[in-house]
mmCIF file of all heavy atoms in Angstrom:
data_model
loop_
_atom_site.group_PDB
_atom_site.id
_atom_site.type_symbol
_atom_site.label_atom_id
_atom_site.label_comp_id
_atom_site.label_asym_id
_atom_site.label_seq_id
_atom_site.Cartn_x
_atom_site.Cartn_y
_atom_site.Cartn_z
ATOM 1 N N ARG D 18 -6.058 9.893 -1.373
ATOM 2 C CA ARG D 18 -6.920 9.762 -0.200
ATOM 3 C C ARG D 18 -6.904 8.352 0.367
ATOM 4 O O ARG D 18 -7.049 7.386 -0.362
ATOM 5 C CB ARG D 18 -8.342 10.140 -0.615
ATOM 6 C CG ARG D 18 -9.335 10.145 0.498
ATOM 7 C CD ARG D 18 -10.652 10.760 0.067
ATOM 8 N NE ARG D 18 -10.451 12.178 -0.150
ATOM 9 C CZ ARG D 18 -10.844 12.821 -1.247
ATOM 10 N NH1 ARG D 18 -11.457 12.185 -2.213
ATOM 11 N NH2 ARG D 18 -10.630 14.108 -1.364
ATOM 12 N N PHE D 43 -11.006 10.070 4.238
ATOM 13 C CA PHE D 43 -12.425 10.161 4.496
ATOM 14 C C PHE D 43 -12.563 9.950 5.992
ATOM 15 O O PHE D 43 -11.983 9.022 6.557
ATOM 16 C CB PHE D 43 -13.211 9.069 3.763
ATOM 17 C CG PHE D 43 -13.471 9.390 2.324
ATOM 18 C CD1 PHE D 43 -12.953 8.599 1.329
ATOM 19 C CD2 PHE D 43 -14.250 10.483 1.969
ATOM 20 C CE1 PHE D 43 -13.205 8.874 -0.002
ATOM 21 C CE2 PHE D 43 -14.512 10.778 0.644
ATOM 22 C CZ PHE D 43 -13.980 9.971 -0.344
ATOM 23 N N THR D 44 -13.309 10.805 6.653
ATOM 24 C CA THR D 44 -13.483 10.681 8.083
ATOM 25 C C THR D 44 -14.966 10.545 8.410
ATOM 26 O O THR D 44 -15.816 10.865 7.599
ATOM 27 C CB THR D 44 -12.840 11.874 8.823
ATOM 28 O OG1 THR D 44 -12.817 11.602 10.213
ATOM 29 C CG2 THR D 44 -13.563 13.167 8.555
ATOM 30 N N LYS D 71 -7.076 20.430 6.774
ATOM 31 C CA LYS D 71 -7.489 21.530 5.915
ATOM 32 C C LYS D 71 -9.002 21.666 6.035
ATOM 33 O O LYS D 71 -9.719 20.667 6.078
ATOM 34 C CB LYS D 71 -7.094 21.204 4.476
ATOM 35 C CG LYS D 71 -7.456 22.239 3.464
ATOM 36 C CD LYS D 71 -7.002 21.788 2.090
ATOM 37 C CE LYS D 71 -7.524 22.730 1.031
ATOM 38 N NZ LYS D 71 -7.194 22.239 -0.309
ATOM 39 N N ALA D 72 -9.480 22.888 6.061
ATOM 40 C CA ALA D 72 -10.922 23.120 6.127
ATOM 41 C C ALA D 72 -11.575 22.567 4.863
ATOM 42 O O ALA D 72 -10.991 22.636 3.783
ATOM 43 C CB ALA D 72 -11.202 24.605 6.266
ATOM 44 N N PRO D 73 -12.791 22.031 4.977
ATOM 45 C CA PRO D 73 -13.459 21.522 3.785
ATOM 46 C C PRO D 73 -13.714 22.643 2.784
ATOM 47 O O PRO D 73 -13.972 23.774 3.169
ATOM 48 C CB PRO D 73 -14.778 20.956 4.306
ATOM 49 C CG PRO D 73 -14.835 21.225 5.751
ATOM 50 C CD PRO D 73 -13.583 21.879 6.179
ATOM 51 N N SER D 74 -13.630 22.297 1.531
ATOM 52 C CA SER D 74 -13.879 23.263 0.468
ATOM 53 C C SER D 74 -14.948 22.696 -0.444
ATOM 54 O O SER D 74 -14.762 21.635 -1.035
ATOM 55 C CB SER D 74 -12.590 23.520 -0.314
ATOM 56 O OG SER D 74 -12.874 24.316 -1.447
ATOM 57 N N PHE D 75 -16.047 23.405 -0.555
ATOM 58 C CA PHE D 75 -17.140 22.939 -1.390
ATOM 59 C C PHE D 75 -17.264 23.758 -2.668
ATOM 60 O O PHE D 75 -18.194 23.606 -3.415
ATOM 61 C CB PHE D 75 -18.455 22.984 -0.611
ATOM 62 C CG PHE D 75 -18.416 22.121 0.614
ATOM 63 C CD1 PHE D 75 -18.318 22.677 1.869
ATOM 64 C CD2 PHE D 75 -18.443 20.743 0.511
ATOM 65 C CE1 PHE D 75 -18.268 21.884 2.997
ATOM 66 C CE2 PHE D 75 -18.391 19.936 1.632
ATOM 67 C CZ PHE D 75 -18.300 20.508 2.879
ATOM 68 N N SER D 76 -16.294 24.608 -2.904
ATOM 69 C CA SER D 76 -16.314 25.464 -4.085
ATOM 70 C C SER D 76 -15.931 24.673 -5.318
ATOM 71 O O SER D 76 -15.044 23.835 -5.296
ATOM 72 C CB SER D 76 -15.341 26.626 -3.892
ATOM 73 O OG SER D 76 -15.193 27.338 -5.092
ATOM 74 N N GLU D 77 -16.565 24.960 -6.421
ATOM 75 C CA GLU D 77 -16.263 24.307 -7.697
ATOM 76 C C GLU D 77 -15.060 24.958 -8.377
ATOM 77 O O GLU D 77 -14.418 24.348 -9.216
ATOM 78 C CB GLU D 77 -17.476 24.403 -8.628
ATOM 79 C CG GLU D 77 -18.666 23.608 -8.153
ATOM 80 C CD GLU D 77 -18.524 22.131 -8.424
ATOM 81 O OE1 GLU D 77 -17.884 21.767 -9.420
ATOM 82 O OE2 GLU D 77 -19.045 21.335 -7.631
ATOM 83 N N GLU D 78 -14.754 26.204 -8.051
ATOM 84 C CA GLU D 78 -13.721 26.953 -8.759
ATOM 85 C C GLU D 78 -12.340 26.298 -8.712
ATOM 86 O O GLU D 78 -11.701 26.158 -9.739
ATOM 87 C CB GLU D 78 -13.653 28.397 -8.252
ATOM 88 C CG GLU D 78 -14.904 29.194 -8.569
ATOM 89 C CD GLU D 78 -15.268 29.194 -10.047
ATOM 90 O OE1 GLU D 78 -14.366 29.383 -10.893
ATOM 91 O OE2 GLU D 78 -16.457 28.991 -10.359
ATOM 92 N N PRO D 79 -11.821 25.876 -7.536
ATOM 93 C CA PRO D 79 -10.494 25.238 -7.542
ATOM 94 C C PRO D 79 -10.451 23.981 -8.397
ATOM 95 O O PRO D 79 -9.469 23.730 -9.088
ATOM 96 C CB PRO D 79 -10.241 24.914 -6.066
ATOM 97 C CG PRO D 79 -11.092 25.876 -5.319
ATOM 98 C CD PRO D 79 -12.320 26.078 -6.184
ATOM 99 N N ALA D 80 -11.505 23.190 -8.377
ATOM 100 C CA ALA D 80 -11.532 21.959 -9.182
ATOM 101 C C ALA D 80 -11.501 22.303 -10.664
ATOM 102 O O ALA D 80 -10.786 21.676 -11.445
ATOM 103 C CB ALA D 80 -12.765 21.140 -8.850
ATOM 104 N N LYS D 81 -12.258 23.299 -11.074
ATOM 105 C CA LYS D 81 -12.280 23.704 -12.478
ATOM 106 C C LYS D 81 -10.926 24.254 -12.901
ATOM 107 O O LYS D 81 -10.459 23.977 -14.000
ATOM 108 C CB LYS D 81 -13.385 24.732 -12.714
ATOM 109 C CG LYS D 81 -14.769 24.137 -12.665
ATOM 110 C CD LYS D 81 -15.820 25.187 -12.918
ATOM 111 C CE LYS D 81 -17.216 24.587 -12.798
ATOM 112 N NZ LYS D 81 -18.251 25.603 -12.952
#
Side-chain angles (χ1 to χ4, degrees):
R18 184 170 291 130
F43 279 117
T44 190
K71 180 180 172 185
S74 172
F75 300 106
S76 171
E77 293 282 329
E78 294 305 315
K81 288 181 183 176

